[in-house]
Amino acid sequence: MLPRVTILWFKRDLRLFDHAALVAALKTDLPVIPLYIVEPDYWKQPFAARRHWHFIHDCLTELSVDLARLGQPLAVRVGDVVSVLRQFATDYDVTAIYAHEESGTDWTYRRDLAVQSWCRDQGITFHEFPANGVVRRLQNRDSWSGIRNARMAETILPKPATLAPVPGLDPGSMPSKADPLFGAAVPGVTQPGGRRAGVATLTSFLTERGAQYLYRLSAPGPSEKHCSRLSPHLAWGSLSVREVVKATAARRATLGRDDDKSWRRNLSAFQSRLSWRCHFVQKIEDQPAIEFACMHPAFEDMRPKAAPADMYQAWVDGRTGYPFIDACMRALTYDGWLTFRMRAMLVSFASYHLWLDWRQSGHHLAQLFTDFEPGIHYSQLQMQSGVTGINSLRIYNPVKQSLEHDPDGTFIRRWVPELSAVSSGWIHQPWTMDRALQQTAGCVIGQNYPAPIIDHATAVRQARRLLAEARSGEDFRDEARRVYQKLGSRRRPSTGRRAARRTGQRKSAQKPQEQLQLL
Ligand SMILES: Cc1cc2nc3c(=O)[nH]c(=O)nc-3n(C[C@H](O)[C@H](O)[C@H](O)COP(=O)(O)OP(=O)(O)OC[C@H]3O[C@@H](n4cnc5c(N)ncnc54)[C@H](O)[C@@H]3O)c2cc1C
């Protein structure tokens, strides 16, 4: 007789704490196979990148040690999920599979359907548990935030004390960070992954770095330190959203009445973002097509699907001739992280100035972001490209952003060394220097550094005209209402402009993400 077991399938939940699927699997009193599957076909998708694997690898390495201490090391397999499960089902009597619900891409959705169907055929139960504030088969958006908040209030599930060893289980071997399976080399560094790094990052943010959160949120250099930097831990699950929500609430509860006003505001703004996180992932759960199709169909054919290659390449290489754009792109390429405002600006430039399709620029960014989270990513891409029909247009002026967020050009000089000897007065628009100044600064435009690839004012005028045309159709408003009903936020985010005034932050950095009224 085959040994009876259950399988705990780790996906984007690489932790042992607050792990509902693991806790449920253990309740069966059968030995649990803790399993991670490296799926070669996933790693061929246009959004996947070796940088993600580096982060996951850190998480799995640590998870494997922790599981071994509990009594049963992690099993790692390479292959498509159904084939891997089929093999386990020949070696063991698998009674059930436990996993978290994944609100991911169309590829992961179809993979999960294939697993469900295989389980049904085999008479194996496939149990899935909510991973965060996202509600599967949500009937009505109006009820969403209540359900999400109730979930966040639930008690954190403890890490199990022991795991019964599974007889004869080969742990397998984990592909290295350098394995060719994961595509092109990482073009820089990756934020360290793993539970311990996640907890340390959370602690330092809540006790120290977060003191200047709102003040430093948008400037690309200082934000590296003062933003939480928890996004990859939340995306790959080395921390649960609930843990972070609870830790933040606990920290708020320790604050005194007067001295800690600014901490209170910082933590409140951070809490709002944790809530936005769930809100955005809910969008892809409710409408998976947002990975491929504009939320509002009026914008579907507005931009050419294949952009002029030189425009796209200049944006990718950080050689557009706009120093702040180029510095942000080069920083992101190297570090795998950029603050929200700068991500939005890069997309705005690609989508409005260069008129690139968000699907093309989006794949490139997904590969660069260590924290790639499909629900946030595709929703934000669409918002920042003006194709949702329910969000106000925000076209960033790259020179204005540069003057506001990097007035003395420190960030630009760090990432665009061609401009290192250009003074602060000229660095934001180096093409306005006369030839003699360019030579003195060792930066001749068109020779050492490109001229602007496009004129800002002309490009924006053209973009506004084409967007207005797309919005002029008879049923534009009806369709927008439908989009809002299905995907729109029901609450005006609370921190808003008052908080911005109190912290001395510029108003626009705090603008609500979504408008309640239809445009
Ligand atoms: C075009 C574009 C693409 C993006 N793609 C991703 C992505 O793939 N993965 C991702 O995690 N974030 C994405 N974001 C949102 C945001 O930029 C990052 O979450 C944030 O910069 C991560 O840094 P942090 O953890 O220090 O954030 P903090 O400011 O410290 O915020 C805390 C957490 O709240 C969540 N959060 C913050 N801002 C947002 C937001 N605007 N919408 C939804 N959730 C938010 C994140 O989980 C973040 O870790 C994208 C933004 C844009 C404009």
Side-chain angles (χ1 to χ4, degrees):
M1 226 172 59
L2 296 173
R4 292 186 79 210
V5 297
T6 61
I7 291 177
L8 186 272
W9 178 19
F10 283 107
K11 295 160 93 182
R12 277 175 169 256
D13 51 1
L14 306 177
R15 62 177 184 276
L16 298 176
F17 283 88
D18 205 26
H19 201 296
L22 176 59
V23 169
L26 287 169
K27 279 192 183 142
T28 61
D29 281 337
L30 291 173
V32 177
I33 298 178
L35 174 66
Y36 186 84
I37 305 171
V38 177
E39 300 161 90
D41 196 41
Y42 173 89
W43 293 99
K44 292 184 193 134
Q45 301 307 308
F47 45 74
R50 182 177 298 277
R51 177 171 266 147
H52 306 158
W53 173 245
H54 277 204
F55 191 89
I56 294 169
H57 191 280
D58 287 350
C59 295
L60 292 176
T61 304
E62 205 179 271
L63 196 57
S64 190
V65 172
D66 291 345
L67 281 162
R69 282 199 192 115
L70 296 183
Q72 173 54 62
L74 181 70
V76 178
R77 297 290 184 270
V78 179
D80 80 273
V81 175
V82 171
S83 308
V84 169
L85 295 176
R86 195 175 288 126
Q87 184 57 49
F88 276 109
T90 58
D91 299 339
Y92 296 93
D93 177 4
V94 179
T95 61
I97 296 169
Y98 292 81
H100 273 121
E101 290 168 353
E102 182 169 354
S103 308
T105 58
D106 183 64
W107 190 94
T108 58
Y109 172 65
R110 286 178 197 285
R111 184 268 324 271
D112 287 351
L113 289 183
V115 171
Q116 261 171 23
S117 150
W118 179 81
C119 285
R120 229 181 354 257
D121 292 349
Q122 303 300 310
I124 295 173
T125 326
F126 183 30
H127 298 281
E128 291 184 284
F129 296 80
N132 42 43
V134 174
V135 183
R136 194 154 272 190
R137 286 179 279 278
L138 180 68
Q139 297 302 314
N140 183 344
R141 253 280 170 173
D142 296 343
S143 56
W144 175 77
S145 68
I147 304 175
R148 185 257 176 196
N149 292 342
R151 285 229 190 117
M152 294 301 124
E154 284 167 10
T155 313
I156 301 275
L157 297 165
K159 177 183 161 184
T162 54
L163 283 180
V166 178
L169 178 64
D170 170 14
S173 61
M174 185 159 58
S176 74
K177 285 188 177 177
D179 195 297
L181 182 62
F182 303 101
V186 175
V189 295
T190 304
Q191 193 175 326
R195 170 90 191 162
R196 282 164 190 81
V199 170
T201 306
L202 175 61
T203 308
S204 67
F205 176 73
L206 291 181
T207 56
E208 186 199 326
R209 294 183 297 113
Q212 294 195 46
Y213 178 58
L214 274 173
Y215 182 54
R216 301 294 193 183
L217 186 62
S218 295
S223 59
E224 289 165 23
K225 177 173 174 200
H226 296 287
C227 280
S228 75
R229 307 301 304 272
L230 289 170
S231 52
H233 294 286
L234 294 169
W236 301 105
S238 35
L239 296 174
S240 77
V241 180
R242 180 165 46 205
E243 283 181 291
V244 177
V245 166
K246 285 212 181 258
T248 311
R251 170 72 176 117
R252 276 191 76 165
T254 68
L255 296 175
R257 281 184 53 204
D258 295 327
D259 301 338
D260 295 316
K261 267 190 194 144
S262 102
W263 258 114
R264 208 175 286 282
R265 276 179 229 122
N266 286 319
L267 294 181
S268 160
F270 176 64
Q271 285 172 316
S272 298
R273 281 157 182 79
L274 293 172
S275 164
W276 296 351
R277 174 175 220 290
C278 298
H279 164 70
F280 279 99
V281 180
Q282 183 70 46
K283 288 183 196 247
I284 208 160
E285 175 66 33
D286 290 343
Q287 193 164 318
I290 63 169
E291 181 184 348
F292 306 113
C294 295
M295 287 184 198
H296 196 303
F299 302 105
E300 197 49 65
D301 297 319
M302 191 174 62
R303 295 181 173 99
K305 292 281 181 294
D310 54 339
M311 293 275 187
Y312 176 69
Q313 205 52 48
W315 178 76
V316 164
D317 293 342
R319 291 190 56 76
T320 64
Y322 283 93
F324 200 47
I325 297 282
D326 294 344
C328 285
M329 183 56 100
R330 294 184 198 185
L332 170 62
T333 304
Y334 187 79
D335 281 337
W337 184 86
L338 202 58
T339 192
F340 171 80
R341 166 64 71 98
M342 298 302 122
R343 294 186 195 205
M345 182 186 72
L346 284 183
V347 174
S348 160
F349 191 82
S351 296
Y352 298 120
H353 292 76
L354 305 182
W355 209 239
L356 303 180
D357 192 278
W358 57 272
R359 286 156 278 221
Q360 187 181 16
S361 48
H363 283 148
H364 181 66
L365 293 176
Q367 293 194 341
L368 293 182
F369 294 155
T370 311
D371 59 29
F372 172 55
E373 175 70 62
I376 307 178
H377 191 64
Y378 295 110
S379 309
Q380 282 291 350
L381 277 171
Q382 294 213 30
M383 276 173 67
Q384 307 304 338
S385 304
V387 297
T388 67
I390 59 167
N391 301 104
S392 48
L393 278 189
R394 216 169 291 162
I395 305 182
Y396 292 90
N397 177 336
V399 174
K400 185 166 173 279
Q401 292 298 312
S402 187
L403 288 163
E404 277 184 13
H405 297 296
D406 189 29
D408 57 7
T410 309
F411 184 76
I412 294 176
R413 282 189 204 91
R414 183 168 144 208
W415 291 104
V416 188
E418 302 95 295
L419 299 171
S420 56
V422 177
S423 70
S424 308
W426 298 103
I427 201 159
H428 307 283
Q429 303 180 76
W431 62 90
T432 57
M433 290 189 289
D434 64 25
R435 183 85 180 170
L437 267 172
Q438 291 179 21
Q439 275 162 345
T440 313
C443 181
V444 176
I445 298 300
Q447 199 174 305
N448 307 100
Y449 183 70
I453 191 169
I454 200 123
D455 173 63
H456 167 74
T458 316
V460 169
R461 216 172 18 252
Q462 166 86 339
R464 285 192 190 283
R465 187 177 62 73
L466 293 168
L467 283 156
E469 256 170 40
R471 305 170 84 96
S472 64
E474 249 176 32
D475 48 3
F476 182 87
R477 283 177 154 262
D478 290 344
E479 191 59 38
R481 212 163 270 120
R482 188 197 58 74
V483 177
Y484 173 73
Q485 206 51 41
K486 179 131 183 141
L487 303 174
S489 166
R490 298 299 193 263
R491 282 198 307 169
R492 209 174 267 280
S494 56
T495 48
R497 290 166 199 199
R498 249 180 305 134
R501 271 202 299 277
R502 284 194 299 254
T503 54
Q505 205 199 17
R506 285 177 185 85
K507 274 190 290 186
S508 52
Q510 280 291 305
K511 269 184 187 161
Q513 293 261 306
E514 279 173 0
Q515 312 294 312
L516 284 173
Q517 73 276 21
L518 294 171
L519 296 169

